[in-house]
Every structure is written in C-alpha cells, then in structure tokens.
Amino acid sequence: FNLERNIQDQLANSANLMGQRNIAYIDFLDEEMVTTNLHDGYSPQPTITRACVYDKENVLFASYMREKAVRYR
C-alpha cells in the first residue's frame, strides 16, 4: 500500500512540476516548447509512457508518448 501511495505522490509531483514549467508556454501558445518539455522531462523515466497537457478549456494542447513502452512485472 505504501509503494502504491509513493508512486501516486511521485506522479502528482511530476505533473505539478511539469505544469508549472509550461504555464508561460501555454499562455503564449507555444505548443512546440511544451512538447519539448514533456519529452525532455519524461523520456528519461521509463515507467512514464504517456503525458498530456491541456489548456484552460480542457482541450489537448500537447502530448508525449514513448515510442516503445517498457513492461514491468
């Protein structure tokens, strides 16, 4: 149970950090920079296979998807 909670906390912290990192780029409609940040932030983390950033109207703004997902047992 603690491991699951720890993973949830790590994901929430990562998402909050990524959101803060991209606020200005979203405000200036810089989709390319947000996409670059998603890739740079999540590609070193093999367990993160997808990430999305939505605008204020909850419309998909940018996304990241790992080319080859890693499976853990």
Side-chain angles (χ1 to χ4, degrees):
F1 181 75
N2 286 337
L3 177 62
E4 183 179 331
R5 181 65 184 168
N6 188 8
I7 291 169
Q8 289 173 348
D9 289 345
Q10 287 177 351
L11 286 172
N13 290 336
S14 178
N16 285 330
L17 180 62
M18 190 61 67
Q20 292 298 316
R21 186 177 181 184
N22 286 298
I23 286 174
Y25 298 123
I26 294 168
D27 286 343
F28 289 102
L29 304 176
D30 191 342
E31 180 184 344
E32 183 177 343
M33 196 63 207
V34 175
T35 301
T36 297
N37 281 340
L38 287 171
H39 180 270
D40 292 351
Y42 292 129
S43 62
Q45 301 180 43
T47 57
I48 306 245
T49 58
R50 293 180 185 187
C52 299
V53 173
Y54 294 86
D55 66 14
K56 294 175 185 176
E57 286 78 36
N58 290 321
V59 174
L60 181 64
F61 185 81
S63 65
Y64 161 78
M65 188 164 81
R66 181 172 302 284
E67 288 183 29
K68 190 171 186 179
V70 177
R71 291 187 92 172
Y72 292 93
R73 293 180 190 205

